[in-house]
């Protein structure tokens, strides 16, 4: 059951964007670099043997193999069995036989390879392959391109001239509520070309290559690094199409404070990694962590790959680059979905209904019943229709053949109105850099089924429903690694209340334009009341699905139905040693500034025991009094096995 649950939850760390499509060739900003076939000779050219040896001797004397920047370029980190071990796994990244674990041998092999002769046909010179290493070694050893038998840096310079690097951005596409594999969000880098629109900039993405999209094998391979991760390069407008238009995900662009020299160092290291793979781990060495090596190559004093390690969330990357001063400028790019939801509030229900009918082909633009309205309001109607048509096309609800004539017709009506002063822009959601810390430690107390208690709760990552929504989807929950340890003061007996592997609650809003499925998924150890009014610790797998609406900005009702299954060896007389329950939950969440409230009621029935009817009515409050501090309280009325009891709790929560 653990692997079954893991197969659902682990993709959250991967993000659906992760598969890189092209692994045969390394890709760069101008199109494609040549395929990495083989290196030219890594032995010095005739007449350059002594120069190469002198350079090696000087490098060893300076102990450059221990230099922090050399370790950044080779991605060396301490490991249990090696003082230094590169996180890069592709043999093509190393010029020394033991280069993966021997920085000194790799430095010697690299220097000698730089003094090798001009490459033959279908060969790549080491300077062309590793311009980042080349630049750094030349600076440290006071060498210039004239000291080498081949000007391999000319290739890099020709690409840079075409790219004409401009500003660099870290881009954060927010979590995608309709897909649990994307609730964490994603990060990638963006490099503009001077004088060109940002839409034509090049996105720099690190992702896993896999033909497997789910299941137990996907979960296992993701845990143990069974996928290869590559850097890939795609025009930014393609990313916007994927995230903002197709996936309904808002995007945030953080301009990085890089000098021209720092941008050059980053770009050189991107070339170092072109076509090179590393093992991809969903939780640690993932899309966000590997991007940090590019940032650290540009600005080594940040030491950012050591600041962030272990479990690396995309949003933690955003918060860290903001905290250490790498950025002070964030630009919000709303998704088509956010635009539609905002523009919907500017129209009446009848106007929204007309927009939907026109876009679905049930009415035409000639049936427009609002021609007596001011031009500003007519323009809003046509702009809403234009955006909704785009959403329908991207979600494949209508075909391109249906889209084209309808879009042209809508655009024609909008043009007839002429230029109109732009209306108020969409309200920005809370900035991701203001998100609370992913880890949580909580001191709490109250009364449960077994009496008064006090306890300590720890969460590995990331966000709960009643916490500040900054950086996360509103009223969502994404929890990994939650442990609740309690003690009864009068008896001083410690007990484990729960140890959840994961809990995901996704409540995307359904309305006139969209139907979005809501879900509540839980997996892990949890306490399950029995007929003796005691609790057994059992493995729990909960799966409920339904829908949610948002009649006003401050309230969100929802309805869920499904199963809640407990399994334990103690359940010898139960069905397959499980305690399955089937039922539904109805509730709503309200928000007012720092205060959030959740009122819910649920009824679950065992299909094997008519007396096992579990009813709960609860009220929970959350007060987010600072970015990393909150207070929570709750009360619930419970009934099961014909018995009833009350529970309540209060907690002080700190995030880091």
């Amino acid at each position: 059951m653990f692997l079954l649950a893991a197969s659902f939850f682990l993709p959250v760390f991967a993000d659906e964007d992760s598969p890189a499509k092209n692994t045969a060739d390394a890709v760069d900003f101008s199109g494609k670099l040549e395929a990495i076939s083989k290196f030219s000779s890594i032995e010095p050219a005739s007449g350059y043997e002594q120069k190469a040896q002198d350079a090696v001797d000087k490098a060893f004397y300076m102990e450059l193999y221990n230099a922090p920047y050399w370790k950044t370029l080779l991605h060396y980190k301490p490991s249990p069995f090696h003082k230094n071990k590169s996180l890069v796994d592709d043999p093509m990244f190393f010029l020394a036989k033991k280069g993966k674990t021997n920085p000194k041998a790799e430095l010697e092999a690299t220097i000698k390879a730089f003094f090798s002769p001009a490459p033959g046909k279908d060969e790549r010179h080491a300077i062309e392959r590793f311009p980042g290493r080349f630049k750094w070694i030349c600076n440290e050893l006071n060498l210039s391109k004239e000291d080498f038998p081949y000007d391999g840096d000319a290739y890099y310079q020709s690409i840079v001239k075409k790219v004409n690097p401009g500003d660099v951005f870290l881009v954060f596409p927010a979590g995608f509520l309709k897909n649990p594999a994307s609730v964490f969000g994603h990060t990638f880098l963006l490099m503009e070309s001077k004088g060109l629109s940002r839409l034509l900039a090049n996105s720099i993405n690190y992702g896993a290559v896999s033909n497997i999209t789910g299941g137990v094998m996907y979960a296992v391979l993701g845990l143990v690094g069974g996928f290869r991760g590559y850097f890939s390069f795609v025009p930014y407008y393609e990313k916007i199409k994927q995230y903002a238009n197709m996936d309904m995900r808002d995007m945030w662009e953080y301009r990085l404070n890089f000098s021209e020299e720092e941008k050059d160092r980053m770009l050189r290291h991107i070339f170092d990694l072109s076509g090179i793979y590393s093992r991809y781990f969903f939780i640690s060495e993932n899309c966000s962590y590997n991007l940090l090596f590019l940032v650290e190559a540009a600005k080594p004093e940040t030491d950012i790959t050591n600041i962030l390690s272990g479990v690396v969330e995309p949003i933690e990357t955003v918060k860290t680059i903001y905290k250490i001063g790498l950025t002070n400028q964030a630009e919000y790019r709303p998704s088509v979905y956010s635009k539609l939801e905002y523009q919907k509030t500017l129209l009446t229900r009848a106007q929204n209904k007309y927009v939907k009918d026109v876009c679905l082909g049930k009415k035409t633009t000639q049936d427009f019943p609002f021609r007596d309205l001011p031009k500003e309001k007519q323009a809003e109607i046509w702009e809403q229709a234009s955006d909704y048509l785009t959403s329908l096309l991207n979600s494949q609800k209508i075909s391109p053949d249906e889209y084209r004539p309808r879009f042209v017709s809508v655009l024609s009506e909008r043009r007839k109105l002429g230029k109109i002063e732009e209306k108020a822009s969409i309200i920005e959601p809370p900035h991701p850099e203001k998100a609370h810390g992913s880890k949580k430690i909580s001191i709490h107390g109250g009364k449960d089924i077994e009496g008064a208690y006090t306890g300590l709760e720890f969460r590995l990552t990331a966000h709960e429903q009643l916490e500040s929504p900054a950086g996360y989807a509103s009223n969502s929950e994404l929890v990994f690694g939650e442990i609740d340890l309690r003690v009864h003061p009068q008896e001083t007996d410690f007990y484990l209340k729960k140890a959840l592997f994961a809990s995901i609650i996704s409540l995307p809003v359904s309305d006139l334009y969209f139907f979005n499925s809501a879900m509540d998924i839980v997996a892990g150890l949890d306490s399950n009341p029995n007929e003796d009014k005691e609790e057994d610790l059992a493995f729990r797998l909960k799966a409920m699905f339904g829908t949610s609406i948002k009649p006003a900005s401050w309230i969100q009702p929802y309805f869920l139905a499904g199963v809640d299954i407990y399994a334990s060896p103690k359940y010898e007389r139960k069905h397959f040693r499980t305690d399955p329950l089937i039922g539904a939950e109805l509730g709503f969440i309200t928000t007012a500034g720092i205060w959030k409230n959740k009122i819910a009621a649920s009824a679950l029935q065992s299909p094997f025991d008519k007396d096992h009817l579990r009813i709960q009515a609860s009220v929970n409050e959350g007060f987010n009094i600072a970015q990393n501090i909150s207070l929570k309280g709750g009360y619930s009325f419970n009934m099961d096995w014909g018995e009833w009891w009350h529970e309540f709790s209060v907690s002080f929560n700190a995030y880091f």
Side-chain angles (χ1 to χ4, degrees):
M1 288 188 77
F2 172 81
L3 286 178
L4 179 63
S7 68
F8 181 85
F9 289 114
L10 282 176
V12 170
F13 290 91
D15 195 278
E16 83 295 340
D17 177 62
S18 58
K21 304 300 184 184
N22 189 344
T23 61
D25 298 323
V27 184
D28 84 340
F29 304 101
S30 64
K32 293 185 178 180
L33 288 171
E34 298 172 25
I36 302 174
S37 51
K38 59 181 179 178
F39 288 107
S40 60
S41 171
I42 61 171
E43 295 299 323
S46 178
Y48 284 86
E49 294 89 345
Q50 190 57 50
K51 283 188 176 183
Q53 190 58 51
D54 290 345
V56 170
D57 292 343
K58 185 177 180 180
F60 284 2
Y61 176 77
M62 297 172 66
E63 297 187 0
L64 294 185
Y65 47 84
N66 284 326
Y69 197 72
W70 178 245
K71 294 182 180 181
T72 294
L73 289 175
L74 273 296
H75 298 202
Y76 286 125
K77 295 293 178 185
S79 76
F81 304 107
H82 298 92
K83 182 179 179 181
N84 296 285
K85 184 177 181 181
S86 177
L87 300 182
V88 178
D89 299 290
D90 195 330
M92 293 298 295
F93 190 65
F94 306 101
L95 293 169
K97 187 175 181 180
K98 296 183 178 181
K100 183 175 174 66
T101 57
N102 192 326
K104 188 174 183 179
E106 184 63 21
L107 179 63
E108 179 179 8
T110 299
I111 293 174
K112 288 183 176 180
F114 288 165
F115 282 94
S116 63
K121 186 179 180 182
D122 297 328
E123 291 181 335
R124 300 290 303 282
H125 197 276
I127 296 176
E128 293 177 348
R129 275 294 301 119
F130 303 115
R133 300 189 202 181
F134 177 72
K135 178 77 171 185
W136 179 74
I137 287 173
C138 285
N139 289 343
E140 295 296 315
L141 300 181
N142 196 26
L143 297 171
S144 66
K145 64 180 182 180
E146 287 77 16
D147 293 311
F148 299 90
Y150 177 70
D151 184 9
D153 206 46
Y155 177 72
Y156 169 78
Q157 295 296 343
S158 68
I159 299 297
V160 171
K161 187 175 180 180
K162 293 178 183 178
V163 175
N164 195 16
D167 289 337
V168 178
F169 296 82
L170 178 75
V171 182
F172 174 71
F176 183 32
L177 276 174
K178 293 183 69 176
N179 185 351
S182 305
V183 178
F184 255 128
H186 183 52
T187 53
F188 60 89
L189 292 176
L190 184 70
M191 177 172 277
E192 290 183 327
S193 292
K194 292 177 182 177
L196 296 179
S197 166
R198 189 176 303 172
L199 297 178
L200 300 175
N202 295 277
S203 66
I204 305 162
N205 183 75
Y206 179 82
V209 176
S210 171
N211 293 323
I212 306 173
T213 57
V216 173
M217 184 58 66
Y218 183 67
V220 172
L221 291 176
L223 273 175
V224 302
F227 301 126
R228 292 182 176 185
Y230 289 85
F231 281 93
S232 60
F233 305 90
V234 179
Y236 189 37
Y237 62 81
E238 290 289 347
K239 287 292 185 184
I240 293 173
K241 180 180 177 182
Q242 175 187 352
Y243 289 125
N245 295 349
M246 296 177 66
D247 287 356
M248 303 180 179
R249 298 167 71 169
D250 292 344
M251 301 172 71
W252 297 84
E253 301 163 353
Y254 293 86
R255 182 183 175 276
L256 301 182
N257 302 322
F258 285 167
S259 66
E260 294 300 318
E261 180 181 354
E262 289 165 347
K263 284 186 280 188
D264 181 71
R265 286 201 292 259
M266 187 191 83
L267 189 52
R268 285 178 177 273
H269 193 47
I270 292 171
F271 271 62
D272 290 349
L273 297 166
S274 293
I276 297 296
Y277 72 83
S278 301
R279 292 170 66 195
Y280 191 101
F281 295 83
F282 289 161
I283 297 175
S284 54
E285 297 170 40
N286 53 24
C287 62
S288 286
Y289 184 71
N290 278 276
L291 285 180
L292 300 180
F293 280 103
L294 302 182
V295 175
E296 190 168 292
K299 221 173 181 75
E301 62 271 21
T302 62
D303 195 31
I304 196 168
T305 60
N306 288 322
I307 293 176
L308 283 172
S309 59
V311 176
V312 181
E313 263 193 81
I315 201 166
E316 288 300 315
T317 303
V318 172
K319 289 168 57 182
T320 301
I321 65 122
Y322 204 89
K323 182 178 180 180
I324 64 179
L326 270 176
T327 183
N328 55 12
Q329 178 182 334
E331 296 182 41
Y332 172 58
R333 186 181 293 274
S335 66
V336 169
Y337 176 76
S338 293
K339 291 178 183 177
L340 284 166
E341 290 299 292
Y342 170 70
Q343 291 166 180
K344 179 187 69 175
T345 64
L346 305 177
L347 306 179
T348 66
R349 180 170 179 81
Q351 291 163 356
N352 281 304
K353 180 66 166 58
Y354 172 77
V355 167
K356 182 177 181 180
D357 288 344
V358 165
C359 293
L360 293 177
K362 296 179 180 179
K363 290 186 178 180
T364 71
T365 56
Q366 304 306 311
D367 302 324
F368 189 58
F370 308 109
R371 298 192 187 278
D372 57 337
L373 293 177
K375 287 186 177 181
E376 291 77 10
K377 182 57 64 176
Q378 293 185 49
E380 290 174 1
I381 295 172
W382 295 126
E383 287 165 8
Q384 178 78 332
S386 172
D387 287 340
Y388 188 50
L389 277 169
T390 300
S391 174
L392 291 173
L393 176 67
N394 290 330
S395 60
Q396 299 181 338
K397 298 290 179 62
I398 61 175
S399 68
D401 290 338
E402 292 172 313
Y403 167 80
R404 292 188 194 98
R406 294 174 196 173
F407 184 78
V408 170
S409 181
V410 166
L411 191 61
S412 175
E413 292 297 322
R414 173 60 184 88
R415 283 177 175 172
K416 291 177 183 178
L417 299 174
K419 186 175 181 180
I420 294 176
E421 186 176 348
E422 187 177 349
K423 59 180 179 292
S425 60
I426 186 172
I427 299 173
E428 293 186 8
H431 287 216
E433 72 272 12
K434 299 185 183 300
H436 58 74
S438 292
K439 296 179 178 64
K440 182 191 81 172
I441 188 164
S442 172
I443 300 172
H444 62 136
K447 176 182 177 295
D448 60 18
I449 192 173
E450 296 185 359
Y453 72 89
T454 185
L456 191 68
E457 186 176 88
F458 173 78
R459 181 185 75 206
L460 181 62
T461 186
H463 174 71
E464 295 168 34
Q465 271 190 312
L466 298 184
E467 295 169 351
S468 170
Y472 296 94
S474 178
N475 298 332
S476 66
E477 178 163 304
L478 180 64
V479 171
F480 274 74
E482 182 180 24
I483 296 175
D484 186 353
L485 186 64
R486 298 182 179 182
V487 60
H488 291 126
Q490 67 273 25
E491 300 174 8
T492 65
D493 58 327
F494 287 89
Y495 63 101
L496 183 63
K497 179 69 174 179
K498 63 182 175 182
L500 296 184
F501 173 69
S503 172
I504 293 180
I505 300 176
S506 175
L507 299 178
V509 176
S510 294
D511 57 21
L512 179 67
Y513 291 106
F514 302 98
F515 175 80
N516 293 313
S517 176
M519 67 180 70
D520 183 354
I521 309 291
V522 177
L525 297 176
D526 205 350
S527 297
N528 183 32
N530 58 35
E531 54 264 54
D532 298 321
K533 206 175 178 182
E534 296 177 344
E535 289 186 321
D536 300 316
L537 195 64
F539 182 83
R540 181 186 187 189
L541 185 60
K542 177 183 180 182
M544 288 191 166
F545 302 90
T547 189
S548 177
I549 61 174
K550 203 166 189 178
S553 61
W554 57 274
I555 185 169
Q556 183 173 357
Y558 67 89
F559 172 79
L560 299 166
V563 299
D564 198 357
I565 304 171
Y566 295 84
S568 171
K570 293 183 179 180
Y571 301 155
E572 294 181 2
R573 290 176 293 176
K574 295 188 181 294
H575 194 68
F576 297 109
R577 297 194 175 185
T578 65
D579 182 16
L581 298 165
I582 303 171
E585 178 180 331
L586 178 67
F588 63 88
I589 302 170
T590 60
T591 304
I594 65 171
W595 171 76
K596 296 192 76 172
N597 163 272
K598 180 179 179 181
I599 298 177
S602 62
L604 298 161
Q605 174 69 58
S606 169
F608 305 108
D609 193 329
K610 65 179 182 179
D611 295 327
H612 191 6
L613 170 64
R614 180 170 298 174
I615 295 175
Q616 184 183 74
S618 63
V619 179
N620 289 280
E621 315 289 333
F623 296 89
N624 300 294
I625 58 180
Q627 182 174 355
N628 288 310
I629 296 176
S630 76
L631 298 175
K632 294 181 183 179
Y635 163 80
S636 67
F637 169 81
N638 307 271
M639 190 190 79
D640 200 4
W641 300 103
E643 301 283 341
W644 60 269
W645 69 96
H646 303 277
E647 295 187 9
F648 65 86
S649 65
V650 292
S651 67
F652 172 83
N653 310 278
Y655 308 91
F656 58 98

